Amino acid sequence: MRRAKDLVALLVAALLLACVVASYLTRDAASGRIAAKKTAADSQTSPIDQRLIRSARQMASVADTNDEQALAGEALRLSDHELDQAFASALREAAATSTPAASGPLKQLADRIAELKKRITADQERITKLTKEAAANAASANHLELAKAQAALDEDELEDAQQDLARQGGDQHATLERALQEHEEAQHAAPQAPKVAMAGLTATMSDQIRSWLSLGDRMHQLEAAGEQADNNASKLAREHDALEKLISHKPVADNGVAAASNEASDADDTEEDPADMLARLRRLSDQRKTLAELDKRVQDSQQLADVYKRWNAVVATRRRSVAHLLLGSLAAVFAILLAVILIDRTIRHAFSRLTDHKRLHQMRVIASISVQFVGALLILLIIFGPPNQISTIIGLATAGITVALKDFIVAFFGWFTLMGRNGLRVGDWVEINGVGGEVIEIGLLRTVLLEMGNWATTGHPTGRRVAFVNSFAIEGHYFNFSTAGQWLWDELQVTLPAAGNPYQMAQQIRQTVERVTEADATAAEQDWERVTRQYGTRPFSAKPAVDLRPGLVGLNVIVRYITRAPQRSEVKSRLFEAIVDLLHKPAGSTAS
């Protein structure tokens, strides 16, 4: 049987361990998917891929040592430099390839912007002219103010038109400039959260477990960030190679015919329009700058991946250090458990030499509980550490005292309840937790009864003193018969003979019972009338009730009547005597 219980306990422990391991292994699956969706959505809405800088900021927010903060600063610098190069290339490309729309709303907005620019240029020329005239002619000052107001109105209209064009996607250059401005504002306004040194957060076993799990999550994040930087470097390298091949195979002339030799190329250049040649050379220069920027971005991404690898190595070293501390704490816990087991066995062996077995058992239990309590306290100190605040210590002490002295506290307040108006007095006939008797003592913590038998033998003292903790007055219930005259309903059963009229005999029995219990019924009705008048309930009737029920050998008469609890046996004896006399009378005679 004991082996079966051990097997069940081992099975439950194994299942619990499997659940904990499975939960730990799958803890970041959902968060990884959510993060992937979020970065993918961000890359679609932003004109420039900013995942590297976001990852660097996220990792910098969790760096909590000097080494990690230094690596976080380097990661932020490299990712920011890479993003600046990306913005520069995108802005230059947008400025070079921006062509007005041929038709539609974008064409109308572009024409409106061009017209507003011309109007603003004319306004500036007019303001310059009126400024010169205002020095010699006072009337020109009013015209100057009107011209300035008109220029301000045209500039506001131009800004609104440019915003409309950018919002509808017709001005890629403006969109990129706005994204760059937002990036710079976020870079300068990023709050530097105070870092918490982890050295003081691994003093207890619970802190060591949390730190070990947190560092494990950080290692996974660093691995993901490093893989992201490697993928970005590979993508930029492919873009660089493709652009370099495009430049090397591009014809030098714009007419689409490749030059066969340097001489032919020089001849074409001499015939080429100077404006077209200047535009071609500028495009070629922009492409060369883009190649150089791609080289820098590739180097930044590679260096960023190396930073994350070194950061991961630093975190792995810290995690091994925390694991070492955690193993030491576990060893201390196991050492305490082993010491408790050995001391408990020593106590059992030492107390086995005593001859008084009752005293042996009590002392052994007290000693074992004391040792186990001290061991549990030491283990709790290792796991959670000592409380650092006086209020915490007072709260824990108060909670412990309340739990330990709960019964005494409830019993003490129960004494006040018993001393109240509806409580108990010495000499009352009561029933507490199914035990009836007379109250002989009411103390601060307990109430003592002189037991007067159970329901079947109420009124016969048993000679036993029964003590109850006063908590029953608050947590349980009790019956005080003295407050109601100690009245209770009792019943008796009589089997009628087969001969004779049963209904007449039942009527005669009822009359006999009424005659014997008339005084008690009248007194009970008077007592109950006072109670019902006080609480506004309906009055009760204390008259006896007689029922006829079929039995195995005839009809059974069930009589219920009122009596005082201490006189229950006496009244029942008198009733049985009167009923027996009635049953032995000749048929047809009436009760006197």
Side-chain angles (χ1 to χ4, degrees), residues 109-172:
L109 286 173
D111 294 342
R112 180 184 172 192
I113 290 173
E115 181 182 354
L116 288 171
K117 288 181 177 180
K118 292 180 181 179
R119 287 168 55 182
I120 290 175
T121 302
D123 291 339
Q124 295 296 332
E125 294 176 353
R126 185 183 177 189
I127 289 173
T128 303
K129 180 179 178 182
L130 290 174
T131 301
K132 295 178 180 179
E133 294 178 357
N137 187 3
S140 301
N142 296 331
H143 296 287
L144 177 62
E145 296 297 330
L146 290 175
K148 290 181 178 179
Q150 183 63 39
L153 181 63
D154 292 338
E155 290 176 357
D156 293 339
E157 188 176 356
L158 175 62
E159 183 179 1
D160 179 65
Q162 290 175 343
Q163 293 294 334
D164 292 340
L165 183 63
R167 177 170 52 83
Q168 298 183 15
D171 192 353
Q172 186 67 18

Side-chain angles (χ1 to χ4, degrees), residues 32-300:
R33 290 194 296 268
I34 294 174
K37 292 180 181 179
K38 184 176 180 181
T39 54
D42 292 342
S43 63
Q44 292 176 0
T45 57
S46 177
I48 299 296
D49 187 3
Q50 301 185 22
R51 288 179 293 179
L52 289 181
I53 189 67
R54 291 196 182 98
S55 299
R57 289 172 180 170
Q58 180 181 1
M59 297 310 305
S61 64
V62 298
D64 50 10
T65 62
N66 294 332
D67 294 338
E68 290 192 44
Q69 290 174 13
L71 293 171
E74 188 174 355
L76 285 172
R77 181 185 62 79
L78 291 172
S79 58
D80 181 64
H81 185 264
E82 190 273 339
L83 186 60
D84 290 340
Q85 298 296 323
F87 270 114
S89 299
L91 288 171
R92 186 169 52 255
E93 183 179 355
T97 59
S98 61
T99 56
S103 61
L106 296 179
K107 177 66 167 57
Q108 297 176 0
L109 286 173
D111 294 342
R112 180 184 172 192
I113 290 173
E115 181 182 354
L116 288 171
K117 288 181 177 180
K118 292 180 181 179
R119 287 168 55 182
I120 290 175
T121 302
D123 291 339
Q124 295 296 332
E125 294 176 353
R126 185 183 177 189
I127 289 173
T128 303
K129 180 179 178 182
L130 290 174
T131 301
K132 295 178 180 179
E133 294 178 357
N137 187 3
S140 301
N142 296 331
H143 296 287
L144 177 62
E145 296 297 330
L146 290 175
K148 290 181 178 179
Q150 183 63 39
L153 181 63
D154 292 338
E155 290 176 357
D156 293 339
E157 188 176 356
L158 175 62
E159 183 179 1
D160 179 65
Q162 290 175 343
Q163 293 294 334
D164 292 340
L165 183 63
R167 177 170 52 83
Q168 298 183 15
D171 192 353
Q172 186 67 18
H173 190 274
T175 302
L176 289 170
E177 284 183 343
R178 185 166 56 254
L180 177 59
Q181 183 179 2
E182 293 176 355
H183 162 66
E184 291 177 349
E185 291 177 354
Q187 190 73 11
H188 291 90
Q192 297 295 329
K195 305 302 179 182
V196 180
M198 293 295 294
L201 297 182
T202 54
T204 63
M205 186 174 175
S206 58
D207 293 334
Q208 293 164 4
I209 294 175
R210 284 194 295 268
S211 179
W212 189 79
L213 295 176
S214 175
L215 292 175
D217 292 338
R218 193 177 305 176
M219 290 178 64
H220 290 300
Q221 295 175 2
L222 288 170
E223 290 175 359
E227 184 178 357
Q228 185 184 64
D230 285 331
N231 294 335
N232 190 65
S234 301
K235 183 189 71 172
L236 294 175
R238 291 193 297 269
E239 292 180 4
H240 177 274
D241 295 340
L243 182 59
E244 190 172 17
K245 291 180 181 179
L246 180 63
I247 294 175
S248 61
H249 292 83
K250 183 177 180 180
V252 294
D254 289 338
N255 55 7
V257 180
S261 62
N262 294 332
E263 291 81 6
S265 178
D266 295 337
D268 291 339
D269 291 341
T270 56
E271 296 176 0
E272 187 177 4
D273 184 71
D276 294 339
M277 182 183 296
L278 179 61
R280 179 174 58 82
L281 291 176
R282 286 179 176 176
R283 287 196 299 272
L284 185 61
S285 175
D286 290 342
Q287 291 173 348
R288 293 294 181 184
K289 291 179 180 178
T290 302
L291 281 177
E293 290 169 352
L294 285 174
D295 286 331
K296 296 178 181 178
R297 293 177 64 187
V298 170
Q299 294 177 3
D300 290 336

